Amino acid sequence: MDVSLELINLTVTSYLIFQGITPSFWGPLSDVKGRRITYCFTFLVFLGACVGLAESRNYATVIVLRSLQSAGSASTIAIGAAVIGDITTREERGGFMGVFQAGLLAPVAIGPVIGGALTTLGWRAIFWFLTIYSAVFLVLLIILLPETLRSAVSNGSVRPSSLIARFPLNIYQKTTKVEFRPQATHVAKASRIDLIGPFRILFSKQAAPIIVFLGVYYAVWQMSITAMSTLFKSNYGLSETEIGLTYIANGVGSIIGTLITGKILDADYRRVKTKHESQAPEDGPDNATFPIEKARLRLVPIFAGLQCASILVFGWTIQYSRRVHIAVPIITTFFTGWALVSTQSVIMTYLVDVFPDQKAAASASMNLARCLLAAGSTSIVGPLINAVGAGWTFTIAVAALLVALIGIGIQWHFGKKWRMEAEAKRGVDSEQENTRS
């Protein structure tokens, strides 16, 4: 198939749109029906789409199936973040979320290299490779992943009612040496599937400022990633395989950054918790007043500054490619990946902390905002570069990043107040529900 640049941009845009929307269905489903069964369905959708793509005969089919593929793959991010929330405490969640993000980002480093190598066998080879990969992973998931949804299995000691959810949890329960505390085995009543939950979280004052902030930063990162292949080809004359190799720096920066940031996040949380407990009254600290915003968000401005600087240098060094060695813009992508993914890891951890009963829905709301904004940014980056050049394009992008910092300021100053108001309202609603029942 002969494909124009406009069709490629259309495919990327449709992929990002579905990547943003579909977790809003899968996330609430996993919050009620379970992580395990939802994971299986998402991988089945992805697997079927890969087979269809490998057998596609026209570009319209490719666009449709790429959207379906995105509907399966993107949702695993929201569900995975929820699983991390299920099995961790606040004190250790940042480190585990860092490992989770690193696993997600490894393909960013090696995917373009593998894809570039597979293109020598034809573009269909890429989708057959993904078919085999996803099938193997689905089998491993069925065999190894236990159910973690708290309302179904509590802390892992409760036997779930669903037959699908029992295996392999029943094996772990029989072989584990962990002694479960009786008071920790209470199972909360499962609620109905709330399909508008992610949208309600997205537009809530508790989450909207910080989600919009992340969405803008993710969109600018996506702009740079999308533009890289075209800019490196036109300005430095790289081949497809060489372009694939340039993405390694971004992927490696993302992986290293999120692993280190996760550990720093845990240490920062412990520091704030110790200070909070030392200032608590004699009857003990009040968890409702714990400054979770300070514990999670005070590193974000540092990462934001790093991303602004790296994006600015990337744009202008590409603009003057004849005077600047290609190593310079490639190195900037390392720091851009580090900054963006560290920010994303921090904010995802914060949202899971703030919405403990809607972990997957909260992650889906973040995914919705960032992917829709990224879809818009990738559709305009090409025309904007053609109109004003790479330097001014990414200067405009950095200006948008600086404006988006307002969201962090709003969350820092008002987040605690809004969170306590929401918790008080949930307590009143819970009492009313108990009275009615």
Side-chain angles (χ1 to χ4, degrees), residues 141-164:
L141 184 148
I142 293 171
I143 296 173
L144 300 176
L145 180 69
E147 182 56 67
T148 65
L149 180 65
R150 286 274 174 167
S151 63
V153 300
S154 187
N155 59 357
S157 62
V158 173
R159 185 180 182 184
S161 57
S162 170
L163 183 63
I164 296 176

Side-chain angles (χ1 to χ4, degrees), residues 66-386:
R66 281 286 282 168
S67 300
L68 184 63
Q69 186 189 43
S70 176
S73 63
S75 307
T76 59
I77 299 174
I79 304 170
V83 170
I84 297 297
D86 291 338
I87 65 175
T88 59
T89 62
R90 281 183 175 181
E91 287 84 352
E92 61 185 3
R93 189 166 295 151
F96 277 90
M97 198 68 77
V99 175
F100 169 66
Q101 291 282 335
L104 291 174
L105 294 162
V108 177
I110 64 175
V113 180
I114 296 174
L118 288 174
T119 53
T120 59
L121 302 176
W123 64 269
R124 297 182 191 278
I126 296 175
F127 295 111
W128 283 123
F129 173 83
L130 290 175
T131 298
I132 297 169
Y133 172 82
S134 58
V136 171
F137 203 93
L138 177 59
V139 171
L140 293 175
L141 184 148
I142 293 171
I143 296 173
L144 300 176
L145 180 69
E147 182 56 67
T148 65
L149 180 65
R150 286 274 174 167
S151 63
V153 300
S154 187
N155 59 357
S157 62
V158 173
R159 185 180 182 184
S161 57
S162 170
L163 183 63
I164 296 176
R166 290 179 191 172
F167 177 85
L169 182 62
N170 54 354
I171 297 176
Y172 294 144
Q173 289 172 336
K174 292 176 182 178
T175 58
T176 185
K177 295 181 180 179
V178 175
E179 294 183 4
F180 295 104
R181 294 174 297 169
Q183 65 269 28
T185 59
H186 173 70
V187 181
K189 182 180 178 181
S191 60
R192 61 183 177 83
I193 300 174
D194 186 8
L195 293 180
I196 64 171
F199 298 93
R200 190 162 49 246
I201 291 172
L202 175 60
F203 292 105
S204 70
K205 60 184 179 182
Q206 266 185 287
I210 199 166
I211 289 178
V212 171
F213 160 81
L214 178 65
V216 173
Y217 274 69
Y218 182 86
V220 171
W221 174 72
Q222 192 69 47
M223 284 176 65
S224 66
I225 292 296
T226 303
M228 273 177 64
S229 59
T230 302
L231 291 173
F232 280 136
K233 184 176 182 178
S234 61
N235 291 30
Y236 288 100
L238 300 188
S239 66
E240 295 296 329
T241 303
E242 290 170 334
I243 290 172
L245 293 173
T246 64
Y247 283 86
I248 293 177
N250 183 272
V252 172
S254 301
I255 294 170
I256 295 175
T258 191
L259 288 173
I260 294 175
T261 299
K263 298 299 181 183
I264 296 174
L265 198 60
D266 284 346
D268 224 21
Y269 183 93
R270 288 191 294 270
R271 192 177 300 111
V272 174
K273 183 180 180 181
T274 300
K275 183 178 180 181
H276 178 68
E277 291 176 344
S278 67
Q279 298 174 347
E282 294 182 359
D283 57 350
D286 183 4
N287 289 331
T289 62
F290 181 79
I292 189 65
E293 286 73 25
K294 291 184 178 179
R296 295 300 192 206
L297 303 181
R298 56 185 181 177
L299 293 175
V300 172
I302 298 174
F303 299 133
L306 179 60
Q307 182 171 346
C308 288
S310 60
I311 286 291
L312 198 62
V313 174
F314 172 81
W316 286 106
T317 53
I318 288 285
Q319 178 83 22
Y320 295 101
S321 56
R322 293 183 180 179
R323 303 179 186 177
V324 182
H325 194 274
I326 191 173
V328 177
I330 290 176
I331 291 172
T332 64
T333 66
F334 173 88
F335 291 105
T336 301
W338 181 310
L340 182 278
V341 178
S342 296
T343 302
Q344 181 173 281
S345 182
V346 169
I347 292 176
M348 186 177 289
T349 305
Y350 171 76
L351 289 175
V352 170
D353 289 342
V354 174
F355 298 95
D357 299 325
Q358 297 175 287
K359 300 181 186 75
S363 298
S365 67
M366 184 188 77
N367 193 71
L368 175 64
R370 66 176 188 150
C371 289
L372 292 182
L373 286 172
S377 69
T378 55
S379 66
I380 66 170
V381 64
L384 196 56
I385 289 174
N386 291 335

Side-chain angles (χ1 to χ4, degrees), residues 24-60:
S24 301
F25 165 74
W26 294 114
L29 180 67
S30 79
D31 281 335
V32 176
K33 296 301 182 181
R35 317 298 187 200
R36 178 176 164 82
I37 189 170
T38 311
Y39 252 140
C40 291
F41 277 125
T42 58
F43 267 92
L44 283 172
V45 171
F46 180 79
L47 178 62
C50 288
V51 174
L53 284 163
E55 293 292 335
S56 296
R57 293 291 181 268
N58 57 71
Y59 206 73

